[in-house]
Amino acid sequence: MKTADCIKFLGTAGARFVVLKQVRSSAGTFLSINGRGIILDPGPGTLVRCAASRPKIEGKDIDAIVLSHNHIDHSTDVNVMIELMADGGFTKRGALFATQEALSGEDPVVLKYVRQFVERIEILKADTEYAVGELRFRTHGRHRHPTETYGFTFSSQEGPVSFIVDTTFFPKLCEWYAGSAVLVLNMVRMTPHPNEKVMHLCYEDARTLISSIRPRLAVITHVGMTVIKAKPWEVARTLSDETGVQVLAASDGKTVELGERETDGQQADLFAER
Ligand SMILES: [Zn+2]
């Protein structure tokens, strides 16, 4: 029997107009690790992309929904995805992990009547470990973003798999995510935004993080128009050349396999793309 841990990028849109015009899909990311399914940041279109996926991602495939923060492009589909996970609300099922701000801040994004469909709701805090069955993950410190935001490191058979979600760059990120085998970066822009209230990673920040952390694989996603114009696959190649680390650009529907293992312990190629 084979078990394959993978990351499926349902959507890769990162900035306002890429999302609003759906230049790229703003659906979230599906992780399948240690036999558990997680939806990370279900932005607009996540339900549609799950239904259109081949194979289809159904409610029974999802054990937890994780919201890194409450911004619209990360959370719009959270309610409908909870309903999907909980068999239309008929079976109390699954877990929701969300920040205090997303649950009870000024702009809570999870409807109250939907909250009763999940088995448990856990509030994300800094530097805390969480589990979904055998799948373990942790937060680090709070990211620098206009709302309460955390990134994640998931434990997998292939090593730590980290998501540096929305944030501006600050040197502590290199420490927090050190040791990641796979590093997914929300690289929204090619150059820093002139307005410092727009708090996102740019190309130079991604290069600094990849050079310092040196994962076995880095993936850029959540891209805005400046990255799309620069052709993300070419940007990834330049990042690879500059850092000596394998870097891929995520695209809508792309699956990155984290390694495929036979139960006898033999291992096939790591990081196959499909
Ligand atoms: Zn955001």
Side-chain angles (χ1 to χ4, degrees), residues 9-29 41 43-44 69 71-74 145 165-167 185-190 193 198-201 220-228 232 250-252:
F9 294 91
L10 298 168
T12 55
R16 200 149 304 180
F17 290 104
V18 178
V19 173
L20 294 177
K21 294 175 197 264
Q22 290 288 291
V23 178
R24 285 191 168 209
S25 164
S26 50
T29 303
D41 285 349
H69 63 297
H71 281 163
I72 242 174
D73 53 330
H74 296 255
H145 202 53
V165 298
D166 293 4
T167 185
L185 300 136
N186 285 8
M187 194 192 95
V188 176
R189 296 181 51 83
M190 287 305 288
H193 199 283
V198 179
M199 304 172 88
H200 280 300
L201 296 175
I220 55 169
T221 187
H222 209 59
V223 291
M225 207 52 101
T226 56
V227 182
I228 290 173
S251 54
D252 294 351

Side-chain angles (χ1 to χ4, degrees), residues 43-233:
T46 305
L47 177 68
V48 172
R49 289 284 168 154
C50 284
S53 268
R54 294 292 172 267
K56 207 176 264 213
I57 298 169
E58 299 181 273
K60 64 177 171 52
D61 303 318
I62 304 167
D63 299 294
I65 297 168
V66 179
L67 294 187
S68 67
H69 63 297
N70 66 353
H71 281 163
I72 242 174
D73 53 330
H74 296 255
S75 68
T76 303
D77 271 13
V78 64
N79 295 296
V80 77
M81 291 305 294
I82 289 173
E83 199 163 288
L84 177 69
M85 175 171 72
D87 190 24
F90 290 107
T91 313
K92 224 173 165 51
R93 207 184 149 265
L96 170 70
F97 298 86
T99 60
Q100 188 82 58
E101 278 203 30
L103 293 165
S104 53
E106 293 224 334
D107 281 322
V109 293
V110 186
L111 292 170
K112 289 198 175 132
Y113 85 90
V114 168
R115 297 182 190 195
Q116 63 194 332
F117 299 160
V118 296
E119 259 173 353
R120 66 190 161 111
I121 296 178
E122 291 212 33
I123 295 169
L124 293 172
K125 300 202 170 93
D127 291 312
T128 306
E129 290 195 20
Y130 300 90
V132 179
E134 307 71 42
L135 171 57
R136 312 188 84 75
F137 68 96
R138 61 161 300 176
T139 55
H140 302 272
R142 185 174 167 157
H143 280 198
R144 294 193 185 160
H145 202 53
T147 185
E148 185 183 12
T149 305
Y150 299 104
F152 307 97
T153 298
F154 294 83
S155 299
S156 88
Q157 299 174 96
E158 310 307 331
V161 178
S162 294
F163 289 80
I164 303 187
V165 298
D166 293 4
T167 185
T168 40
F169 176 79
F170 53 104
K172 275 264 177 218
L173 290 171
C174 299
E175 276 175 45
W176 292 349
Y177 294 93
S180 301
V182 176
L183 183 67
V184 181
L185 300 136
N186 285 8
M187 194 192 95
V188 176
R189 296 181 51 83
M190 287 305 288
T191 51
H193 199 283
N195 180 350
E196 62 182 27
K197 287 189 186 143
V198 179
M199 304 172 88
H200 280 300
L201 296 175
C202 69
Y203 180 90
E204 203 184 310
D205 304 328
R207 186 177 57 198
T208 304
L209 286 161
I210 294 167
S211 303
S212 161
I213 296 166
R214 306 205 68 75
R216 296 207 301 274
L217 173 73
V219 184
I220 55 169
T221 187
H222 209 59
V223 291
M225 207 52 101
T226 56
V227 182
I228 290 173
K229 282 190 181 143
K231 302 191 174 92
W233 57 95

